[in-house]
């Protein structure tokens, strides 16, 4: 970190700023660095349950006595339990409303001349969040009086006229069992807790922080698209402007620090003049990085981006991010990474309430198992895990947390959640596949409702046009959509579960022969007829789930190891492009993990899921006879 930069400094405006957050690895749950004053507001907050949802009518935000204290970040379920003297997370029904409050003093602004302002960011909170400063309601930078969504960050710019020597921050968080909101595998009015459905985990789930930012700056939203043939990198950046005028966007790409300090000479640099009006704007620019090495699981080469927005007086507002160059394609039978056919040895991962340190241990263990792909299953997670995957060399398959019912409102909520996630997750070369839905949760009428299919088709096309750096799966597991005989999914995926090896061979033979019905729980394709002839990669995206005897599986670890080995062998004997074993760790009632959730230790031999051999290349296209 360049501590000589004009924007950087950790002032001692209050005792809270002395917290050694810089000693923690990437302490803030975000992917982009900003060299500025940051004050974490984590820790003890006052807390009250609003059982009758009376707080808004009674104006609790103007001040009240709170009966309890709670530690932020933390789930509202745990805070309710602590308030009731319980040790396990409390369950709630229908809806929950909770209020949090604390005081803070503002850090000093390191840059005089009215260039700086204060920004308040919630790493994730919700599902419905309202915020007040000294009794005055705040509006997000996107213009929301109420923020909806609980998986991604959102920010407020603080009007200095509202700031006092000591400030009171009030937060109201509400959630319901509404099946139309994105929930993933948390219980709802439709799916109740038990089996594969988990207890709710909502509320103040990630850090909140106050920082000094420039009035005219780049936001922490950077998208990277690379075409490996030309070594050109397409950067999408977001500008936030309060003072219209002429600006220069300067991008510089450096080698990442190697322990001897940051590189001093950029590998590539370019200036882009921009005339910017007040507000927020997306801008794409292209930079050539000659001689850049490609990112892959075997060689996770990363580069450091320094982006500066320079005003007419030469003042530079700066952010930094890491990125890699890679290309992912679905072409015929194979998935190609950087133009090389790559078999996907995957594993299903559900982090649940795991801490970031536990997730780090899990990721290292998955790499040790021989996986090159992790399917992060239908959940919004701490964005630091994407950086971790970038550094370790793990491909990621991510998914939109699904609603539990199929309605126009659930589709609207689904799209809003997808867009929020995309805005914050496009820097990472590790993220290569997105699932829109899983096993038709939230799209249960996919076979019978043309409106549901139309929404998914339109979203698939949108992803291809606006986010071409990803492969897109319409509905993972079964009931993919065919329109005029064209699959609206880059991968044909199937979830196959059987403990019997003979039945496993039979299912795989049927699948690879193009049998689309009677293989998975539902037909593999709905809509117009689709005739599979190996024109898209085939992925067995869930299989196994081999627990021990109490879960209907092998009697011991040795038996499970041999069963996995035999099933993997059968997969590799057939024209299949990849597979995803279920799953990495135990979670709630699902007792089928290969990794200890706390320690990260393996219960099976290292390398068990590594079956990669370079597949035979497709036959060369014959030259036309002239």
């Amino acid at each position: 970190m360049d501590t000589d930069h004009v924007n950087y400094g950790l002032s001692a405006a209050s005792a809270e700023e002395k917290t050694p957050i810089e000693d923690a690895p990437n302490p803030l749950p975000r992917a982009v660095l900003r060299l500025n004053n940051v004050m974490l507001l984590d820790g003890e907050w006052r807390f009250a349950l609003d059982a009758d949802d009376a707080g808004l009518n009674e104006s609790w935000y103007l001040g009240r006595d709170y009966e309890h204290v709670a530690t932020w970040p933390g789930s509202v379920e745990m805070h309710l339990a602590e308030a009731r003297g319980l040790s396990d997370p409390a369950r709630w029904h229908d809806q929950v409303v909770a209020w949090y409050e604390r005081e803070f003093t503002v850090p000093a602004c390191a840059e005089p001349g009215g260039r700086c302002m204060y920004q308040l960011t919630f790493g994730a909170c919700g599902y419905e969040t309202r915020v007040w400063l000294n009794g005055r309601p705040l509006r997000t930078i996107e213009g929301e009086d109420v923020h909806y969504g609980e998986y991604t960050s959102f920010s407020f710019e603080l009007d200095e006229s509202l700031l006092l020597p000591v400030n009171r921050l009030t937060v109201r968080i509400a959630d319901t069992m509404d099946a139309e909101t994105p929930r993933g595998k948390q219980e709802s009015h439709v799916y109740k807790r038990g089996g594969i459905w988990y207890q709710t985990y909502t509320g103040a789930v990630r850090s909140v922080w106050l920082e000094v930012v420039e009035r005219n700056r780049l936001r922490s939203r950077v998208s990277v698209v690379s075409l490996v043939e030309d070594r050109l990198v397409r950067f999408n950046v977001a500008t936030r402007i309060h003072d219209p005028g002429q600006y220069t966007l300067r991008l510089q790409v450096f080698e990442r620090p190697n322990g001897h300090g940051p590189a001093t000479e950029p590998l590539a640099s370019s200036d882009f003049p921009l005339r910017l009006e007040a507000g927020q704007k997306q801008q794409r620019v292209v930079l050539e990085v000659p001689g850049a090495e490609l990112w892959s699981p075997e060689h996770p080469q990363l580069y450091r981006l320094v982006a500066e927005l320079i005003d007419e007086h030469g003042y530079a507002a700066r952010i930094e991010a890491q990125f890699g160059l890679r290309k992912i394609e679905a072409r015929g039978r194979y998935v190609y990474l950087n133009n090389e056919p790559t078999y996907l040895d995957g594993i299903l991962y559900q982090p649940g309430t795991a801490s970031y340190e536990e997730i780090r241990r899990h990721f290292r263990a998955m790499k040790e198992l021989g996986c090159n792909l992790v399917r992060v299953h239908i959940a919004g997670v701490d964005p630091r895990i994407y950086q971790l995957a970038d550094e370790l060399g793990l491909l990621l398959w991510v998914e939109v947390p699904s609603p539990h019912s199929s309605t126009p409102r659930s589709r609207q909520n689904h799209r809003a959640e997808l867009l929020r996630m995309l805005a914050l997750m496009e820097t990472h070369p590790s993220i290569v596949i997105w699932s829109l839905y899983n096993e038709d949760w939230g799209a249960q009428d996919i076979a019978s409702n043309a409106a549901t299919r139309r929404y998914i088709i339109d979203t698939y096309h949108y992803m291809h046009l606006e986010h071409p750096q990803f492969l897109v799966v319409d509905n993972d597991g079964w009931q993919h959509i065919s329109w005029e005989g064209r699959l609206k999914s880059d991968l044909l995926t199937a979830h196959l579960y059987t403990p019997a090896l003979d039945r496993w061979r039979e299912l795989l033979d049927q699948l690879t022969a193009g049998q689309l019905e009677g293989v998975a729980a539902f037909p593999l394709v709905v809509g117009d007829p689709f005739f599979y002839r190996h024109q898209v990669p085939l992925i067995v995206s869930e299989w196994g789930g081999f627990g021990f005897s109490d879960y209907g599986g092998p009697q011991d670890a040795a038996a499970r190891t041999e069963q996995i080995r035999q099933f993997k062998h059968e997969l590799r004997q057939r024209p299949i492009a990849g597979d995803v074993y279920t799953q990495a760790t135990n979670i709630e009632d699902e007792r089928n993990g290969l990794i200890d959730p706390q320690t990260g230790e393996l219960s099976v031999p290292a390398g068990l899921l590594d079956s990669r051999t370079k597949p035979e290349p497709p036959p060369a296209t014959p030259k036309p006879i002239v």
Side-chain angles (χ1 to χ4, degrees), residues 93-113:
H93 302 279
D94 193 45
Q95 75 169 16
V96 62
V97 181
W99 291 70
Y100 297 80
E101 191 170 274
R102 64 159 291 164
E103 278 78 42
F104 69 92
T105 57
V106 295
C109 179
E111 178 63 31

Side-chain angles (χ1 to χ4, degrees), residues 12 99 155 184 206 224 228 285 373 428 436 454 575 590:
W99 291 70
S155 299
R206 285 187 213 140
V224 178
V228 301
V285 292
L373 171 79
H428 306 284
L436 303 179
R454 185 75 258 167
E590 294 192 70

Side-chain angles (χ1 to χ4, degrees), residues 309-326:
L309 187 66
I310 305 170
D311 66 18
E312 293 171 319
H313 306 288
Y315 180 83
R318 172 173 163 180
I319 60 173
E320 295 186 14
Q322 66 179 23
F323 72 96
L325 280 70
R326 65 104 181 105

Side-chain angles (χ1 to χ4, degrees), residues 247-300:
Y247 291 84
T248 298
L249 173 63
R250 176 171 296 159
L251 298 187
Q252 294 179 300
V253 173
F254 296 86
E255 296 274 6
R256 289 185 76 215
N258 57 8
H260 304 294
T264 55
E265 293 298 324
L267 300 175
S269 179
S270 190
D271 287 0
F272 305 89
L274 297 172
R275 173 74 193 183
L276 296 174
E277 302 301 326
Q280 185 165 291
K281 176 180 170 57
Q282 292 289 123
Q283 179 67 46
R284 168 169 285 197
V285 292
V286 180
L287 189 62
E288 184 177 7
V289 186
E293 298 180 40
L294 303 183
W295 183 97
S296 69
E298 296 75 25
H299 182 65

Side-chain angles (χ1 to χ4, degrees), residues 34 41 51 152 172 193 221 240 260 265 359 376 394 472 510 565 583:
R34 190 183 299 280
L41 298 182
T152 54
R172 176 189 181 271
R193 161 76 178 87
R221 301 181 175 199
R240 174 64 174 169
H260 304 294
E265 293 298 324
I359 291 172
V376 183
L394 280 169
V472 182
Q510 293 172 346
R565 201 185 310 277
Q583 62 183 333

Side-chain angles (χ1 to χ4, degrees), residues 127 176 178-181 405-414:
Y127 182 72
T176 72
D178 180 4
E180 292 180 311
T181 61
S405 64
S406 183
T407 67
R409 179 171 172 264
S410 79
R411 292 189 281 277
Q412 181 180 5
N413 289 336
H414 178 275

